Amino acid sequence: MASAESNAAPDSLLGHYKLRDSIRNTEFAKQYGNIPWPLIVKTGRFNNIIAILYQNDSSFNAKYYLRISVDNGKTWNNYYTGMEKNNNYFFKNNSQFSLWKDSHHLQIEADIVRMTRPLTFPHGEAEYEVLRRNALVIININEIMKDSDDDGLNDLEEKMELFTDPLSKDTDNDGVPDSEDNNPKYKTIDNDFTKALLAALYGEYDLIDNPDPLTIEFIVNLKTFKEDFASQIERYNSTSNNKKSFIDMLQYNVIVTNDENLRRTDTLGKKIIFLTSKEFSKYIQQSFNNIYAHFYSKLFTCDDKKDTYILIHNGVSRGETYVITRIPEGWNIKVINHWMT
């Protein structure tokens, strides 16, 4: 990194503008390369190659991406940079340097920052201190654009974010490329346990009358599961189909679990990255903000009750403990404990 000079000329194709300086809906309607203007840090052209440096639309875990066109804007490819806003860079959209340093490198001014207080729920924003102002960050685009299996996901994103195989277009061998797969790591299976887990996580069933108002209890009939669960599938799929913007497609949920059946449940049209606890330990090393994920225990058996299982969920702002018991119709699911912040 070098110190930034103040007399260099900007080259942004869109000019300078303050990030999120206007009404959100109005500004997000303006797009360049499928990227809403308020998310763009800087743009630049090198011959017929156009680069857009931008952040995804996340309030507390914004990551930096590159959008590259080698045919003067006719087609675009997307690349994760491996860098996150405030961890430990804050890229400046008013950078006084041309985005292109040369044919193999980009450059952007940034403040180098360090978190001094993490984000806490339900209130309490993260706080940072600036270690160095106006540093010049150099980005090697050859490393950024490396896509060993040519599946549309660069190696950095597969290794750091998705934990998929960068040498395989279809990590779980289910016939769907990793870039299009809503669960790229694990092939979906259909058995009694995945049905029970789907019902626990997403089900909307008639509740059993219970004298304890803090206990939620319902029956899952395995024989009529498809029909009973149809409304949930329709609702989640319709919500997913409505999210068609390119920026929306970058978003996904992270679920941490060592339960094999849970990792292979239907995601109902939502993109979910299932991480084992070992993978998650690597994931949080990249960013403290990555700790805000959903955690599910293994579906473990009760020692003193036959055909009875316990599932524990701890999320960012809520959690539940499920008791799942096999019955003649299928499953009895009871939430015996829940918390919320």
Side-chain angles (χ1 to χ4, degrees):
M1 282 181 268
S3 297
E5 299 175 5
S6 59
N7 58 354
D11 74 330
S12 176
L13 301 178
L14 305 178
H16 287 327
Y17 52 89
K18 186 179 179 182
L19 191 65
R20 301 180 186 273
D21 62 351
S22 299
I23 299 174
R24 178 183 175 91
N25 290 341
T26 302
E27 287 299 290
F28 267 63
K30 303 176 184 177
Q31 296 189 357
Y32 184 61
N34 288 25
I35 310 301
W37 278 29
L39 300 180
I40 295 175
V41 179
K42 195 170 178 66
T43 62
R45 185 193 303 272
F46 189 90
N47 296 327
N48 289 328
I49 306 176
I50 301 174
I52 305 174
L53 179 63
Y54 72 98
Q55 67 179 63
N56 65 338
D57 188 21
S58 175
S59 58
F60 71 95
N61 198 15
K63 303 176 189 298
Y64 289 117
Y65 289 83
L66 277 173
R67 196 92 163 120
I68 301 286
S69 173
V70 298
D71 54 11
N72 205 28
K74 294 179 181 178
T75 60
W76 296 89
N77 290 308
N78 203 64
Y79 305 97
Y80 174 54
T81 66
M83 291 177 280
E84 179 184 322
K85 184 178 178 180
N86 291 328
N87 185 50
N88 295 92
Y89 306 93
F90 182 85
F91 290 166
K92 297 189 173 185
N93 69 319
N94 62 347
S95 174
Q96 296 301 305
F97 280 79
S98 298
L99 183 60
W100 287 92
K101 183 177 186 294
D102 53 48
S103 60
H104 299 292
H105 299 88
L106 302 179
Q107 56 188 0
I108 187 71
E109 285 180 81
D111 286 343
I112 310 302
V113 299
R114 176 174 61 190
M115 181 185 290
T116 56
R117 192 186 76 173
L119 173 72
T120 57
F121 288 92
H123 35 255
E125 294 185 357
E127 294 181 356
Y128 301 86
E129 65 176 349
V130 178
L131 302 180
R132 183 175 179 180
R133 297 188 183 277
N134 300 324
L136 189 61
V137 176
I138 307 299
I139 301 173
N140 185 329
I141 62 171
N142 294 327
E143 289 298 317
I144 298 293
M145 295 174 65
K146 188 176 181 181
D147 180 6
S148 297
D149 54 12
D150 196 30
D151 63 355
L153 298 168
N154 63 333
D155 289 2
L156 278 176
E157 185 164 18
E158 295 213 55
K159 292 176 181 178
M160 298 178 64
E161 292 291 303
L162 308 180
F163 285 76
T164 48
D165 185 354
L167 301 179
S168 172
K169 290 185 178 182
D170 183 7
T171 296
D172 61 4
N173 198 32
D174 65 351
V176 181
D178 289 344
S179 58
E180 301 174 15
D181 201 336
N182 285 325
N183 181 4
K185 294 183 62 187
Y186 299 99
K187 186 176 181 178
T188 301
I189 60 175
D190 184 14
N191 61 34
D192 288 357
F193 289 102
T194 57
K195 287 186 175 74
L197 291 164
L198 270 175
L201 272 60
Y202 304 109
E204 293 180 350
Y205 292 88
D206 293 333
L207 301 184
I208 297 174
D209 290 336
N210 197 304
D212 184 354
L214 298 180
T215 297
I216 299 171
E217 186 175 6
F218 55 91
I219 299 294
V220 178
N221 191 319
L222 292 179
K223 291 182 179 179
T224 61
F225 182 84
K226 185 176 180 179
E227 295 79 8
D228 295 342
F229 205 72
S231 61
Q232 290 90 309
I233 294 176
E234 182 179 356
R235 176 165 57 88
Y236 278 89
N237 282 340
S238 63
T239 303
S240 175
N241 291 334
N242 287 333
K243 299 179 67 173
K244 296 179 179 179
S245 77
F246 173 76
I247 290 296
D248 286 332
M249 292 171 62
L250 296 176
Q251 306 296 335
Y252 55 85
N253 293 324
V254 174
I255 290 180
V256 184
T257 184
N258 291 326
D259 190 272
E260 183 71 15
N261 285 301
L262 180 54
R263 295 198 295 255
R264 295 181 178 276
T265 56
D266 192 330
T267 65
L268 305 187
K270 303 293 186 181
K271 187 165 185 176
I272 297 178
I273 305 302
F274 290 95
L275 300 179
T276 65
S277 56
K278 184 177 180 180
E279 289 170 334
F280 183 70
S281 66
K282 297 179 181 179
Y283 187 63
I284 59 175
Q285 290 176 11
Q286 302 165 26
S287 169
F288 181 87
N289 286 328
N290 285 347
I291 198 171
Y292 302 114
H294 289 275
F295 297 82
Y296 286 89
S297 70
K298 276 192 169 184
L299 192 65
F300 56 88
T301 58
C302 291
D303 294 334
D304 55 348
K305 292 185 178 180
K306 184 180 179 181
D307 293 330
T308 301
Y309 305 86
I310 301 291
L311 177 70
I312 300 173
H313 163 239
N314 285 300
V316 175
S317 58
R318 67 178 181 85
E320 301 87 21
T321 299
Y322 300 87
V323 176
I324 303 175
T325 305
R326 191 179 287 277
I327 58 176
E329 302 96 309
W331 298 103
N332 176 283
I333 298 181
K334 183 186 296 185
V335 179
I336 62 170
N337 180 49
H338 48 89
W339 61 268
M340 183 177 296
T341 57

